[in-house]
Amino acid sequence: MPLLVEGRRVRLPQSAGDLVRAHPSLEERARLLRGQCVQPVGPQGLLYVQQRELAVTSPKDGSISILGSDDATTCHIVVLRHTGNGATCLTHCDGTDTKAEVPLIMNSIKSFPDHSECGRLEVHLVGGFSDDRQLSQKLTQQLLSEFDKQEDDIHLVTLCVTELNDREENENHFPIIYGIAVNIKTAEIYRASFRDRGPEEELRAARALAGGPMISIYDAKTEQLRIGPYSWMPFPHVDFWLQQDDKQILENLSTSPLAEPPHFVEHIRSTLMFLKKYPSPTNTLFPGNKALLYRKNEDGLWEKITSPGS
């Protein structure tokens, strides 16, 4: 079944700009989202989603009330929600394998009980800008096309991507929105920034930089964050990259060097250092080849579960 806007089938391929011009509700929603102030989100009740991760939960979750992600330049943040049971998935897509990722997003929502005829599936796409290499434009088209191929009706509610999320300064282009959060209980989606990107921020970033595929990181039934066990090959030329200056790292390891947030190079350096320290992580970081498990404590903060069962 098709991708729908205001109950009508979307005609693809269209650019994001053409699509919103054909549907005034999309244009208005994108305008309102761009016009918001960025809200800093604290760690309490937050599940932060990194690049190539997805997390899904529902309003019944006693631990998680907010899903969020940021640092998206050419990447897109996708929120899929079922209005009946409130099951909500947030993921940070970078265009690596959109064809495989969209079915993962769909199945994550369908895994919840009460996925019945009562309610509908709504999708929100945010991120990207008018970058020189047109990577954002390509990812927008891929996501719209893959959601359009799914068996279920999917209602496109928010489209604030690529040229709709673009600002120009001194002839250079930048995203307007770098990050969003979704409130699981109220379904509100808003511009957001995050100080806390844990737990195991470096380990999770290393998996993505080493080429790991999209994965689900949270079990809503047990209310536990599950990390690993991961394996990766030693990162090629890691010593070479660590010797390069900031400009070289920015120009070679970013899809959009001019548009990256200020902490990008520091983040890449620390991730490369992590990959150098753990060239083969399976036994060193995951004793007994078991996952690292975390849950929220009474203060709403992540706490490691010391005896991971099965």
Side-chain angles (χ1 to χ4, degrees), residues 27-56:
E27 189 159 31
E28 176 66 6
R29 191 166 172 85
R31 186 185 68 79
L32 289 172
L33 193 60
R34 288 192 304 264
Q36 289 181 1
C37 293
V38 178
Q39 296 185 41
V41 176
Q44 281 85 4
L46 166 69
L47 172 44
Y48 183 85
V49 177
Q50 290 204 27
Q51 194 167 328
R52 291 194 208 161
E53 291 182 343
L54 72 80
V56 60

Side-chain angles (χ1 to χ4, degrees), residues 32-41 175-181 189-194:
L32 289 172
L33 193 60
R34 288 192 304 264
Q36 289 181 1
C37 293
V38 178
Q39 296 185 41
V41 176
I176 297 169
I177 300 172
Y178 282 86
I180 59 168
I189 292 172
Y190 53 94
R191 291 181 66 177
S193 64
F194 307 89

Side-chain angles (χ1 to χ4, degrees), residues 37-38 44 53 75 78 98 111 118 122 136 145-146 155 157 170 183 186 208 210 212 233-234 255 266 274 293-294:
C37 293
V38 178
Q44 281 85 4
E53 291 182 343
C75 293
V78 179
T98 309
S111 67
C118 179
E122 295 184 345
S136 304
S145 174
E146 291 306 321
H155 296 261
V157 177
N170 300 327
N183 184 313
T186 67
M233 299 296 287
T255 56
E266 181 190 349
F274 192 92
L293 298 178
Y294 284 81

Side-chain angles (χ1 to χ4, degrees), residues 67-79:
L67 297 175
S69 190
D70 64 357
D71 287 357
T73 51
T74 55
C75 293
H76 291 12
I77 301 168
V78 179
V79 176

Side-chain angles (χ1 to χ4, degrees), residues 2-5 10 19 26 29 76-83 87-91 93 102 105-106 109 120-126 143-148 150 152-161 180 189:
L3 194 60
L4 304 170
V5 179
V10 170
L19 201 48
L26 283 180
R29 191 166 172 85
H76 291 12
I77 301 168
V78 179
V79 176
L80 182 68
R81 183 175 182 274
H82 190 272
T83 60
T88 304
C89 174
L90 184 143
T91 184
C93 298
V102 168
I105 296 166
M106 294 293 295
I109 291 290
R120 67 182 201 175
L121 288 166
E122 295 184 345
V123 70
H124 310 262
L125 307 178
V126 181
L143 284 165
L144 290 171
S145 174
E146 291 306 321
F147 275 113
D148 193 52
Q150 302 306 305
D152 305 78
D153 279 352
I154 303 166
H155 296 261
L156 179 62
V157 177
T158 306
L159 188 68
C160 190
V161 292
I180 59 168
I189 292 172

Side-chain angles (χ1 to χ4, degrees), residues 73-74 127-131 136-137 162-163 165-166 173-175 256 259:
T73 51
T74 55
F129 68 111
S130 298
D131 64 282
S136 304
Q137 187 182 45
T162 311
E163 63 262 47
N165 189 42
D166 183 80
H173 291 262
F174 302 88
S256 50

Side-chain angles (χ1 to χ4, degrees), residues 202-203 206 232 270-278 285:
E202 284 188 327
L203 170 54
W232 54 66
S270 69
T271 307
L272 288 168
M273 288 291 292
F274 192 92
L275 285 165
K276 181 180 178 176
K277 188 176 179 182
Y278 301 104
L285 297 174

